[in-house]
Amino acid sequence: MKTTPERAIDPILEALEGGGPPRVQREIFGIRLYDQIISRDLTEIPEIMAAVRETHGPILELTSGSGRLTRSLSPLGREMSVAEADMTGPKLEETYGCVVLGASYATLLEPRRRKKLFREVNRCLAPEGRFLMSVVNADHRAELEVINRGATISQLDQDSFFVTVESRDALNGALHVSMSHISFNEHGTYRSSEYTSDIAFVSTELIEEELSAEGLGVLERRPITVDPETAGIQELNLWVCAGNQQGQTEVEDRP
């Protein structure tokens, strides 16, 4: 096996020059790869669909990505809109009966962006509407301060696969993910791209405080079935939220 010469030299030159591809370009590549990886993952979809069916009126899906969740929501036959989590672009004036944010995306946002998200969701949520959000319970503390997971190799398609290495710093509540995407072409050459992320796990108490500060309350937390092979996730829940006027004194946790 051999590398393509003109591609192999690029990272070397970038390292020598102290540069690299533009940040936006790297993010786009990473987002596309992530969408491809999770496209066949059904985690959280059954639980989200069950909760959506309990609501009425238009649906707003946040961070729809490649349409993994959209494909399940569309057959419901309800009016649907999509928007990014940072609510950029034209203001959403519609009143939605259900706002959905999957993939535990809220916990990946910086506090300022997360608060803005909650504020905008509350503004465009119908009086009886529901905000559905999947959240990783980061309050679990592992016995070891650092948990390392061996490399996982997964095939994306006939000519490419990726290698994922994850380690969790339980003491600081963070997950480090390193992913190598390797693709082959018809002439026996290959190209490898590396992506790394440090993900901070946000405590559920903090998320609840931020929701409340922006006018939202948690009605209940429903358990989401998680693939045993998923690293670093010991508990995943679907939070069913509403305006504070509909909130209750004690949050219901479903078994």
Side-chain angles (χ1 to χ4, degrees):
M1 195 63 63
K2 57 183 179 180
T3 61
T4 307
E6 67 273 18
R7 290 180 176 175
I9 200 67
D10 286 347
I12 298 174
L13 293 175
E14 289 167 2
L16 292 174
E17 296 170 0
R23 182 183 175 207
V24 173
Q25 185 180 11
R26 291 198 306 269
E27 289 180 350
I28 290 174
F29 290 154
I31 289 169
R32 287 176 180 170
L33 179 60
Y34 176 74
D35 283 343
Q36 192 175 359
I37 292 169
I38 69 168
S39 62
R40 295 184 293 271
D41 185 359
L42 300 180
T43 301
E44 79 183 2
I45 291 181
E47 292 83 1
I48 288 178
M49 292 301 299
V52 170
R53 290 190 179 97
E54 298 171 6
T55 67
H56 304 279
I59 300 171
L60 173 63
E61 182 190 356
L62 302 175
T63 64
S64 58
S66 60
R68 166 179 169 268
L69 183 55
T70 309
R71 289 189 289 271
S72 297
L73 293 171
S74 296
L76 294 178
R78 289 161 61 175
E79 182 182 343
M80 278 195 60
S81 300
V82 296
E84 293 304 315
D86 57 9
M87 300 292 193
T88 55
K91 269 192 170 288
L92 298 167
E93 301 299 341
E94 184 76 55
T95 300
Y96 297 93
C98 184
V99 178
V100 182
L101 179 62
S104 300
Y105 193 87
T107 59
L108 305 181
L109 295 173
E110 299 170 351
R112 177 181 55 82
R113 296 177 64 194
R114 195 165 55 242
K115 292 174 185 177
K116 179 183 178 182
L117 165 68
F118 296 156
R119 186 181 315 122
E120 289 298 305
V121 167
N122 186 34
R123 184 186 62 79
C124 65
L125 199 63
E128 300 299 321
R130 295 290 182 266
F131 174 38
L132 308 177
M133 174 177 62
S134 59
V135 178
V136 175
N137 186 352
D139 297 330
H140 283 296
R141 290 301 182 204
E143 293 181 3
L144 300 176
E145 291 186 2
V146 178
I147 298 177
N148 293 308
R149 185 191 189 203
T152 301
I153 302 176
S154 305
Q155 186 169 355
L156 288 178
D157 51 47
Q158 187 175 358
D159 297 317
S160 68
F161 65 93
F162 66 94
V163 181
T164 305
V165 178
E166 299 179 353
S167 61
R168 178 171 180 176
D169 181 349
L171 182 63
N172 296 308
L175 179 69
H176 178 76
V177 181
S178 177
M179 184 165 55
S180 297
H181 179 214
I182 303 173
S183 57
F184 300 83
N185 64 32
E186 57 190 36
H187 299 297
T189 62
Y190 70 91
R191 184 178 188 181
S192 175
S193 303
E194 181 89 6
Y195 303 88
T196 60
S197 296
D198 286 300
I199 304 169
F201 289 139
V202 185
S203 74
T204 54
E205 182 180 354
L206 177 60
I207 296 176
E208 284 193 59
E209 290 176 358
E210 292 176 351
L211 283 167
S212 180
E214 302 303 336
L216 293 168
V218 184
L219 300 181
E220 57 179 314
R221 288 186 287 258
R222 305 179 183 182
I224 292 176
T225 302
V226 180
D227 187 328
E229 295 300 318
T230 302
I233 298 180
Q234 294 175 291
E235 184 181 334
L236 182 64
N237 291 307
L238 178 66
W239 289 24
V240 181
C241 309
N244 273 338
Q245 68 275 12
Q246 300 180 57
Q248 55 192 54
T249 305
E250 190 170 336
V251 178
E252 178 185 353
D253 288 305
R254 290 195 180 185

